[in-house]
Amino acid sequence: MKSQKFPIAAVRACAYSDSVSKTHYDIIISGGGMIGSSLACTLGKNTRLSNKRILLLEAGKEKSYSFTGKYSNRVVSLNPATHKLLNDINAWSHIKNSRFAAVKRLQVWDAISDACITFGDENAIEDISYIVENDLLLDAVSKELKNVNNVEVIYNTRAKEYSLPLHNEDKVQITLENGSSITCSLLLGCDGFNSHVRKAMQTQYVTWNYNQMGIVATMELSEEIQNVIAWQRFLPTGPIAFLPLNSKQSSLVWSTVPDEAKKLLQISEAEFVDAINGAMYQTYQHSNIIDTATKIFDNFVRFFNWPVDMSRRYPPKISRIEEGSRAAFPLGFGHAASYISKGVALVGDAAHRIHPLAGQGVNLGFGDIICLNEVLGNAVSCGSVINDLSYLKEYETQRQRYNVPTMLGVDGLYRLYNNDFAPVVLLRSLGLQATHAINPVKDKVIDWAS
Amino acid sequence: MLKRSFRFHNTGANTVDKKEIDHFQNFLEEWWNEFGSMKALHSMNKLRVPFIRDGLVNSGRIRDKIKTPTALEGVSLLDVGCGGGILSEPLARLGCNVTGLDANPNAIELAKHHSEKQGLKINYAASSVEEHASQYFETYDAVVASEVLEHVTQKNEFVDACIKCLKPNGSIFITTISKTNLAYFLGILVSENVLRLLPRGTHQFEKLIEPSRLQRILEDYDCRTELIHGMCYNFLTNTWHWCPDTSINYALHAVKIKSED
Ligand SMILES: Cc1cc2nc3c(=O)[nH]c(=O)nc-3n(C[C@H](O)[C@H](O)[C@H](O)COP(=O)(O)OP(=O)(O)OC[C@H]3O[C@@H](n4cnc5c(N)ncnc54)[C@H](O)[C@@H]3O)c2cc1C
């Protein structure tokens, strides 16, 4: 990780297990985003992999996070499993020394019906999730990566071409933009949703665009509050969410149709603030049948004395947005039919991309990291080669078993809510009420949604 | 390539069955195909390598380095009936000094060829364990005989030779097929004829041995059995699992007791 520039000059003379040549690595991670960097750090710190030579390749320059007081407009919500991993690799200590917000309660409600669901409790000790800026997370992991001496990091270097092996025992060859080439036994593709590693694998990729853009911004609250609640309201055009940053600020993630997104980007910041407040508070016309049905359901729940937490809260009012923090991103769905092939595996957005409405994108990637780290450690402790296909297959099976239902669930939610056809609204409001009312179901949902 | 001279020649009395050797010639190339006819042996590594590794760690012979990539560093180990080296290689990767024996010189050629390509140092020899024992008395920390005993006619002589090679307090690991009707039915009839997991004629019922008899033979040669585990094979997923039932496949770990004299 010391050498910044290619060719790799300063390779330590060290007895690495599988490698003989200076340009051969046991593992090359292509793409040093949040997932690639965290994967490099996790594998590098796995004592069972301590004799493996690992390279992290990143096309962009080394980013450094500056603590300016201004929050970045790109934040992620990290679930407890991701939090634990970051703690285990000691990256969390850097985040803790900087800043993050703990979410203790989550409220999700429907704009067209009165259905509402809440999870957690503001005064509880347990946190549902943690809001961290993307750049801070990356910076924390990169800092920690400097303490790991079997991982080299090369920035400003893009992989141009991947040549994948036909036989299990052959190496992966990677041609870099500067013309030089390197080889590895195992290539891990962490190069994001537009993954070239995935393209080289020629695996089937199921993808579609949501007719939506995600608008983000850093928002100032009109008054100082405890701010431990994450809010999400389903509007007819898509969900709008507030994620807490500190007692005076929250982060916006607003998914909406392209036309409205375009308009929201063009209007003045003051008008944009009004639009945000309107989106959180505006009442939509309820249809009678839905109102009646949800009331009947309510009575039904009360009759059976199911425990119901009807304490609905109201989200904070926004007074202004951080200047220039407004931005938009296209939203899409994508899933690779296989995550692995001879000598290669996909991790993070390279393998799967989802709608941000449940804040799961990066958490699925962190789940991949946890699993792959375990599987590769097992392979080595059983004396197998690092690219043993049967172990990689275990990774694929375990992750697809988790990712596919989660992704379909999130996509299903998107479809359910991107609809104002009365029977669908009725169905979802009853569903939301039912999940709300029945604790075991709610526990499952929170398990999955946080 | 197959006509090299060997340090150990196939001479004199030994327990190797001539017919068995010829049979293996037929599918030598198949050895290293992880998804070919040897796939059950490849996938068995996920069970037998940890069995050997943890057995050695638990018997206190080596320092616990289980969290490192070379948990078995410095252990000298004899792999009897190593074939193409499917088990020798992972053990060598874990840091063992492996000596691999097989009576079939072609298998040894193949094993040497493959391990060199892998950059592993394994000492392969085409020899019977009886010959080996005469030169390497009480040399090894561990002896492994995995999926060989079912091909051996003279069990006592074979076990005796294995144990001669073993240092006092050393560990012997055996995996084999039990001698029960169920083993006959599933292990031989079904897997060789119906599922074609193994070529026909790989196993013969008379040569199978049940765990209790093996345990008695080991006792006769001063070995105390530490552990017997049943092994179950799922041929749909090509995976092995531990199970309480030892009536088909099983793994056994025994320790050589220091002689009193
Ligand atoms: C609006 C929006 C809001 C979101 N909100 C959340 C949220 O709240 N919670 C959540 O969990 N997720 C969220 N996500 C998703 C989350 O941002 C992604 O899941 C995450 O960024 C994926 O990380 P990654 O490292 O896999 O990919 P990326 O971040 O895309 O990283 C890929 C890296 O690979 C590098 N690279 C690419 N090609 C090459 C090459 N050829 N050679 C070398 N390097 C290369 C790139 O430079 C880049 O650094 C959101 C996404 C959007 C769009």
Side-chain angles (χ1 to χ4, degrees):
Chain A
M1 65 186 299
K2 319 293 176 248
S3 59
Q4 286 275 85
K5 276 215 181 101
F6 225 69
I8 318 151
V11 174
R12 285 172 302 282
C14 177
Y16 289 109
S17 60
D18 289 358
S19 51
V20 274
S21 128
K22 277 186 185 172
T23 54
H24 180 78
Y25 293 84
D26 295 302
I27 300 173
I28 292 181
I29 298 169
S30 187
M34 285 187 280
I35 294 306
S37 302
S38 303
L39 178 63
C41 194
T42 308
L43 297 182
K45 288 197 169 206
N46 185 341
T47 54
R48 297 191 288 181
L49 302 176
S50 60
N51 63 348
K52 300 292 173 229
R53 194 167 166 230
I54 303 171
L55 174 70
L56 175 63
L57 202 61
E58 166 56 38
K61 56 181 196 298
E62 181 171 12
K63 288 197 192 105
S64 65
Y65 174 80
S66 57
F67 188 86
T68 55
K70 259 194 187 175
Y71 278 88
S72 152
N73 60 2
R74 294 303 309 272
V75 302
V76 280
S77 159
L78 306 176
N79 68 19
T82 302
H83 174 250
K84 182 179 179 301
L85 175 77
L86 291 172
N87 221 353
D88 290 347
I89 62 171
N90 202 36
W92 189 257
S93 68
H94 303 300
I95 295 173
K96 212 167 67 187
N97 289 337
S98 193
R99 58 189 177 191
F100 70 93
V103 175
K104 299 217 179 262
R105 187 182 169 100
L106 179 66
Q107 178 172 312
V108 180
W109 72 110
D110 188 347
I112 313 191
S113 78
D114 265 333
C116 169
I117 182 167
T118 62
F119 304 104
D121 171 0
E122 291 112 297
N123 303 313
I125 306 163
E126 313 91 69
D127 303 320
I128 292 179
S129 68
Y130 304 87
I131 311 299
V132 180
E133 294 149 274
N134 292 17
D135 293 346
L136 172 58
L137 198 162
L138 195 58
D139 184 68
V141 173
S142 306
K143 261 196 197 120
E144 205 43 47
L145 205 44
K146 296 209 158 71
N147 301 327
V148 181
N149 52 27
N150 56 335
V151 180
E152 290 172 49
V153 185
I154 301 177
Y155 293 100
N156 301 315
T157 308
R158 180 176 290 276
K160 203 174 73 190
E161 206 183 307
Y162 304 97
S163 146
L164 301 178
L166 288 176
H167 303 288
N168 227 7
E169 299 180 358
D170 297 341
K171 296 168 181 168
V172 178
Q173 190 166 348
I174 303 170
T175 312
L176 303 176
E177 235 173 14
N178 64 13
S180 53
S181 89
I182 45 179
T183 59
C184 63
S185 307
L186 178 61
L187 168 68
L188 302 176
C190 302
D191 47 351
F193 71 86
N194 218 352
S195 172
H196 285 266
V197 175
R198 188 185 64 232
K199 284 170 193 154
M201 283 166 67
Q202 295 182 327
T203 173
Q204 205 188 338
Y205 186 61
V206 182
T207 180
W208 56 78
N209 278 324
Y210 290 114
N211 189 30
Q212 278 186 347
M213 300 284 282
I215 298 179
V216 296
T218 309
M219 309 177 295
E220 198 82 35
L221 311 183
S222 61
E223 57 183 333
E224 202 158 329
I225 55 167
Q226 196 190 359
N227 212 7
V228 289
I229 307 180
W231 310 87
Q232 177 150 298
R233 188 183 197 204
F234 284 98
L235 307 177
T237 47
I240 177 170
F242 288 2
L243 305 173
L245 295 174
N246 62 26
S247 62
K248 283 258 354 167
Q249 287 171 295
S250 288
S251 184
L252 171 76
V253 187
W254 185 353
S255 313
T256 186
V257 290
D259 282 349
E260 195 187 6
K262 217 154 119 199
K263 214 177 77 201
L264 288 171
L265 288 176
Q266 277 163 358
I267 55 179
S268 72
E269 290 191 343
E271 287 169 314
F272 183 55
V273 169
D274 289 343
I276 297 170
N277 285 326
M280 273 293 186
Y281 279 95
Q282 186 191 340
T283 46
Y284 288 79
Q285 207 187 348
H286 294 196
S287 96
N288 281 338
I289 168 160
I290 293 165
D291 278 349
T292 315
T294 46
K295 278 209 194 81
I296 293 172
F297 183 82
D298 253 14
N299 291 333
F300 182 71
V301 168
R302 277 171 224 280
F303 179 79
F304 282 100
N305 229 347
W306 283 336
V308 191
D309 177 10
M310 284 301 174
S311 52
R312 169 194 298 232
R313 311 289 155 88
Y314 291 94
K317 280 256 166 57
I318 304 309
S319 62
R320 57 176 210 91
I321 61 159
E322 190 78 62
E323 214 183 312
S325 69
R326 202 170 13 161
F329 301 88
L331 304 177
F333 176 99
H335 188 257
S338 42
Y339 293 4
I340 62 153
S341 174
K342 288 190 182 101
V344 57
L346 298 173
V347 185
D349 272 26
H352 41 70
R353 178 188 186 200
I354 57 174
H355 193 288
L357 70 82
Q360 284 307 294
V362 90
N363 291 305
L364 288 186
F366 276 104
D368 295 349
I369 294 178
I370 294 167
C371 176
L372 188 60
N373 181 48
E374 188 61 30
V375 164
L376 293 180
N378 285 344
V380 169
S381 339
C382 287
S384 290
V385 285
I386 193 75
N387 55 2
D388 188 312
L389 207 53
S390 71
Y391 284 90
L392 293 181
K393 189 84 200 151
E394 275 179 28
Y395 160 71
E396 179 185 71
T397 308
Q398 276 185 42
R399 285 318 288 165
Q400 290 196 340
R401 205 171 279 166
Y402 182 85
N403 292 346
V404 173
T406 307
M407 294 178 76
L408 292 179
V410 172
D411 186 62
L413 270 179
Y414 162 79
R415 284 170 200 287
L416 194 59
Y417 280 98
N418 203 36
N419 200 327
D420 49 14
F421 183 49
V424 177
V425 177
L426 175 63
L427 183 74
R428 76 187 185 220
S429 48
L430 292 181
L432 208 53
Q433 270 183 320
T435 6
H436 195 120
I438 305 159
N439 268 326
V441 181
K442 201 166 146 182
D443 290 345
K444 260 255 96 46
V445 175
I446 196 166
D447 229 30
W448 167 81
S450 64
Chain B
M1 176 190 122
L2 297 179
K3 276 189 190 148
R4 258 196 231 166
S5 61
F6 294 97
R7 206 146 68 86
F8 304 100
H9 286 280
N10 232 345
T11 53
N14 60 47
T15 52
V16 177
D17 206 315
K18 184 78 178 73
K19 253 204 289 201
E20 293 277 357
I21 298 179
D22 292 340
H23 183 74
F24 270 108
Q25 308 260 23
N26 298 333
F27 61 143
L28 269 185
E29 296 81 50
E30 280 288 309
W31 273 112
W32 283 101
N33 181 356
E34 214 183 314
F35 304 100
S37 60
M38 304 303 277
K39 67 176 182 190
L41 278 185
H42 284 282
S43 65
M44 193 192 270
N45 278 354
K46 286 191 185 175
L47 224 53
R48 59 186 174 169
V49 175
F51 183 69
I52 294 165
R53 184 194 65 203
D54 299 345
L56 286 167
V57 171
N58 293 339
S59 69
R61 248 204 113 67
I62 54 168
R63 252 182 332 124
D64 183 2
K65 287 190 285 188
I66 206 89
K67 290 234 140 66
T68 74
T70 48
L72 298 183
E73 203 173 301
V75 172
S76 62
L77 183 145
L78 179 68
D79 182 7
V80 182
C82 63
I86 293 175
L87 181 57
S88 301
E89 286 195 5
L91 292 171
R93 242 180 242 113
L94 287 179
C96 277
N97 300 317
V98 179
T99 300
L101 291 187
D102 204 288
N104 182 343
N106 294 341
I108 289 297
E109 274 306 319
L110 186 89
K112 275 185 183 166
H113 182 75
H114 194 268
S115 64
E116 268 164 32
K117 262 194 4 198
Q118 292 284 314
L120 293 169
K121 280 206 185 69
I122 299 174
N123 175 28
Y124 283 118
S127 159
S128 70
V129 65
E130 291 77 8
E131 288 161 347
H132 195 77
S134 64
Q135 285 182 50
Y136 295 92
F137 181 68
E138 299 200 339
T139 305
Y140 298 97
D141 297 317
V143 173
V144 175
S146 185
E147 306 302 295
V148 270
L149 206 54
E150 61 272 25
H151 303 288
V152 171
T153 317
Q154 293 161 288
K155 309 280 190 228
N156 285 54
E157 288 79 354
F158 178 86
V159 170
D160 181 30
C162 287
I163 288 161
K164 272 192 185 129
C165 298
L166 200 57
K167 287 179 192 166
N169 287 335
S171 286
I172 178 164
F173 299 92
I174 296 171
T175 75
T176 188
I177 305 177
S178 192
K179 191 174 191 171
T180 60
N181 291 333
L182 190 61
Y184 176 67
F185 178 71
L186 287 177
I188 302 183
L189 277 186
V190 178
S191 58
E192 290 183 15
N193 299 311
V194 184
L195 298 172
R196 301 282 157 86
L197 289 171
L198 295 165
R200 215 175 278 196
T202 303
H203 294 120
Q204 292 147 30
F205 186 67
E206 318 81 68
K207 289 192 188 168
L208 305 185
I209 179 166
E210 60 273 33
S212 54
R213 205 186 128 219
L214 178 57
Q215 204 174 336
R216 268 202 312 280
I217 297 178
L218 283 161
E219 261 165 39
D220 290 345
Y221 297 105
D222 291 330
C223 280
R224 185 184 63 236
T225 299
E226 300 276 304
L227 207 59
I228 301 179
H229 272 321
M231 300 194 290
C232 303
Y233 182 65
N234 180 338
F235 62 86
L236 288 177
T237 56
N238 185 31
T239 48
W240 289 87
H241 304 278
W242 294 120
C243 60
D245 180 12
T246 57
S247 65
I248 306 172
N249 295 85
Y250 63 96
L252 180 150
H253 172 203
V255 170
K256 182 172 181 175
I257 301 160
K258 247 201 204 117
S259 46
E260 309 285 280
D261 46 291

